Structure formats: structure tokens, C-alpha cells
Amino acid sequence: MPRKPLEVDSPLEFLAILDEEGLVDESLEPKLSQDLLLKLYRFMVLGRRFDERMLQLQRQGRIGTFAPIKGQEASQLGAVAALEPRDWMVPCFRETAAQLWRGTPMESVLLYFGGFDEGGRIPEGQKDLPVAIPVASQLLHAVGLAWAAKYRKTDEVAMTFFGDGATSEGDFHEALNFAAVYQTPTVFVCQNNQWAISIPRSKQTRSRTLAQKALAYEMPGIQVDGNDVLAVYTAAKEAVDRARSGGGPTFIECVTYRMAMHTTADDPSRYRSEEEVAQWARKDPIIRFEKYLIAKGLLDSKAIEAMALEADSAIQQAVKRYEELSQTLGDPLQMFDHHFEQLPAHLLEQREELRRYLKEEEEETRHA
């Protein structure tokens, strides 16, 4: 009986183009237009400053808990920049920068995390799915969209985002298996930010990389420096082009780090050290990209300051619109409006019971 090594191809690579000092490997540098480079930088700055403003609003009790993105701007924007408007973007709950890039207004993000369902409404013509809170459930939705695109013989691609923790869920494996078997045009973007809430990656899986999980499903996989927007864009563009041309799915592992908390409901100082955060802060994706653009003569101190002011002004206007809109929304009875053309008897009864309850509450409040 034979005992010999299995013939398993291992084409996995690690890709980095821009180092921590902003120095570029010219042999790998993608040929991007000046407009696209500056747009990427503008949205990285906007995403970071919006994130910081949201944290202030949450601490002031003006929105609810949310998942900060600080440190993951390159992973999100480098990936989503490879998509066309006709493609699908399927986020989890930490893709604020990607959502803004695709056209979601900032006030919609604020409304969602302010507790208003209306914030989850996708603008007309924008092919994105709403935020998905259950871990990994959105991967199946993305594969379904990609399968539908292939079935209808369109050239649409579906890109989905998830964290390292999602790779331990059953939905992750079902999604990759289906996508590989049926060769759906799906791009799986894993933002490996090192922590699944308070569990380090080393205690979550024995795999040396997450990208190697692609091998089990016979699909291309690649690990990239997730704080290098040029590397992420290059890997995502190759994956999107392959998917669009009928080459099937790709799994991309972006090695990055969330410099803030998992969500505003937890305290990361209880499970990780300040030294670890400081080590990753030196790999900040915005700082290295800024150095790169300055070296190319596309940015200077005046332009940097102007973009920051532009972002702050846009954020302030969005906060104002959010607070104005929030005064006109939020009637609990609206939850009954969009499920049935004609409400069944038991829901009519529930709506009336809630209406009476709210009326009584209002009367009680009025009379102190």
C-alpha cells in the first residue's frame, strides 16, 4: 500500500508594497491615477475622523454602541476601491469607511447606530447590503448574490467583509464551500485585526495563517499587509477581475489591527497591553500612505490640512442632519407598517395594544 505526500498545491503568497516608512516597492506598485490615489487618501482621513467623532457622540449618549474602524481604513478602502458600482458590497458591522466610499451618507450611519432602522436603508441604485451583526451570516448572502449573478449571466461581483473571528463559524465554511463548488464570483475579504472581541487570534485557531483556509476549498488565497492600501487594492483588483471573467472566488486575508475597542461596549485594556497597541500604531495605514503621496508630490502640508478641514466640515453637517432627522423618526408603531399589505388580526391587536400603552405612558409623563 502506498504512503506518500499528497499533491496539494500551495500557491499562497504574502503581499506588501508600501512599508511603514512610506517607501514603495516600485516593481509591485500599481499604476493608479492621481485622482484615485487622492480619493483613497481623502476617504481614509474621512473614515478616521468620522470614527473619532462617532466615539465622542457615543460617549455623550447621542448615539448607541458601534464598532470603531481606527487602523483598518486601508483594508476596507483598498478592497472596495476595486469594485464597480454594478458590483455588490456585503459588509459586517465594521465597514464604515467602505460604506462611505460606496455612497452611504454619514447621517445614515449615525441614524443606524442611533437606534433608528431608517439608517439601514440603502440609497436607491446602490448595490450594498445593510450592516450584518450576526458573525459570518453575511458571507452566505454574498455567495447567494454571486450565484444569482452567475445564473443570470451578468458580470457582477459580490465582495463581502468579515473579521478573523468569523472564520471559526460554520457559515464561513459553508459559504466558501458553495462558492468554490459552484465557482461563484465572490471575493471574501477577511480583516484579521488580531482580536475576536477579547480572544486573540492565537487562541482561536491553530492555523498559521487564515489565508491557507482557502486551500481546503481549492480557491485562490492570499495574505496581504492590511495596513498597506496599495497591497490591498492590488490583491482585491486581481480577485475582482478573476471573478468577473469567470475564474471563481478568492479569499483575501488582510493582516491589520483595530487600534480602538471591539465595540464601544468593551474595555480593551482588560485583555491587551498598551505595548501591543503602540507597536501597531507605528504601522498606521494613513501615516504611511501620506508619506508615499508626499514623496510623489501629490500632497503637502497645506493639502493635508485642507482635506482634514473638509472632512470635519462634512462630518459636522452630517451630525446636524442626523439630529434633525432623529426628531422626526422613531415612532414605534412604524414597525407594523412594512411586513404585510394587510395586517393579520393578531398583529392588528398587538398594534392597538402598543398604541394604548404609548398613549398611557405619554399621559403619565405629562402629569409627572
Side-chain angles (χ1 to χ4, degrees):
M1 300 295 284
R3 181 173 183 142
K4 60 184 181 180
L6 291 173
E7 294 181 0
V8 178
D9 293 335
S10 180
L12 294 174
E13 294 180 331
F14 174 79
L15 176 63
I17 298 175
L18 201 59
D19 71 11
E20 297 172 23
E21 301 303 320
L23 299 177
V24 66
D25 183 332
E26 293 182 355
S27 67
L28 297 173
E29 184 181 12
K31 306 301 180 189
L32 304 184
S33 69
Q34 293 185 6
D35 286 346
L36 180 54
L37 289 170
L38 290 175
K39 183 178 178 182
L40 282 167
Y41 176 77
R42 185 177 296 110
F43 272 82
M44 289 173 80
V45 171
L46 178 64
R48 175 70 61 88
R49 297 177 88 87
F50 185 48
D51 200 55
E52 293 170 345
R53 184 71 175 118
M54 287 177 70
L55 186 56
Q56 292 174 345
L57 295 172
Q58 193 275 333
R59 295 302 192 232
Q60 294 166 358
R62 294 159 72 183
I63 64 171
T65 191
F66 74 101
I69 66 167
K70 185 177 182 180
Q72 299 184 217
E73 296 87 354
S75 290
Q76 296 183 20
L77 292 168
V80 80
L83 294 177
E84 300 289 340
R86 64 182 184 278
D87 297 324
W88 290 92
M89 196 278 282
V90 184
C92 57
F93 49 77
R94 199 189 300 278
E95 276 68 54
T96 305
Q99 287 179 287
L100 299 184
W101 178 276
R102 294 280 289 178
T104 297
M106 283 185 280
E107 56 266 32
S108 292
V109 177
L110 294 171
L111 282 170
Y112 180 83
F113 290 113
F116 297 93
D117 287 343
E118 290 82 355
R121 184 179 299 152
I122 304 300
E124 189 70 25
Q126 184 177 319
K127 298 173 77 171
D128 296 1
L129 263 56
V131 167
I133 301 297
V135 176
S137 62
Q138 75 280 6
L139 277 67
L140 295 165
H141 304 158
V143 173
L145 289 167
W147 171 238
K150 181 174 181 178
Y151 182 79
R152 293 173 176 172
K153 302 185 187 312
T154 74
D155 65 351
E156 298 165 1
V157 173
M159 175 181 285
T160 185
F161 290 88
F162 50 99
D164 41 299
T167 64
S168 296
E169 295 286 344
D171 287 358
F172 165 82
H173 297 283
E174 292 178 23
L176 266 69
N177 189 57
F178 189 101
V181 169
Y182 291 96
Q183 288 292 283
T184 65
T186 316
V187 180
F188 298 93
V189 181
C190 176
Q191 296 187 83
N192 172 11
N193 65 17
Q194 314 302 319
W195 289 91
I197 307 182
S198 59
I199 301 297
R201 201 200 72 80
S202 60
K203 289 189 177 179
Q204 185 208 152
T205 176
R206 289 281 291 175
S207 296
R208 282 176 290 171
T209 73
L210 299 180
Q212 70 196 62
K213 293 177 184 287
L215 294 176
Y217 300 100
E218 195 67 19
M219 74 169 68
I222 186 169
Q223 185 186 67
V224 302
D225 182 341
N227 286 9
D228 172 359
V229 70
L230 299 183
V232 178
Y233 176 84
T234 298
K237 187 69 168 59
E238 289 175 359
V240 168
D241 289 349
R242 179 164 46 246
R244 203 183 303 288
S245 62
T250 301
F251 177 49
I252 300 172
E253 177 192 359
C254 296
V255 181
T256 183
Y257 192 75
R258 62 169 166 85
M259 291 196 278
M261 60 289 288
H262 170 69
T263 74
T264 51
D266 77 297
D267 175 8
S269 67
R270 296 175 63 87
Y271 55 80
R272 71 183 186 188
S273 67
E274 292 184 3
E275 290 75 16
E276 179 182 300
V277 179
Q279 181 183 1
W280 279 91
R282 289 193 287 274
K283 303 177 182 178
D284 191 309
I286 296 181
I287 293 174
R288 74 169 71 174
F289 192 46
E290 191 174 281
K291 290 178 179 176
Y292 166 74
L293 294 178
I294 290 173
K296 288 181 75 72
L298 298 179
L299 268 187
D300 56 25
S301 57
K302 285 187 177 179
I304 292 170
E305 183 180 1
M307 285 192 192
L309 290 173
E310 176 189 329
D312 289 345
S313 175
I315 292 167
Q316 187 54 35
Q317 292 173 33
V319 172
K320 182 180 178 185
R321 287 194 294 274
Y322 155 65
E323 295 190 318
E324 290 173 350
L325 282 168
S326 65
Q327 298 301 313
T328 67
L329 301 172
D331 180 356
L333 292 175
Q334 289 179 346
M335 76 172 78
F336 296 96
D337 289 349
H338 306 296
H339 294 282
F340 297 92
E341 183 176 358
Q342 290 186 324
L343 279 180
H346 70 285
L347 290 181
L348 283 170
E349 184 180 345
Q350 288 182 24
R351 185 175 68 177
E352 179 57 22
E353 183 178 349
L354 178 60
R355 189 195 65 75
R356 285 198 304 268
Y357 172 79
L358 293 172
K359 182 71 175 177
E360 290 170 4
E361 285 284 299
E362 183 181 341
E363 289 294 322
E364 189 169 333
T365 301
R366 185 179 303 158
H367 297 294

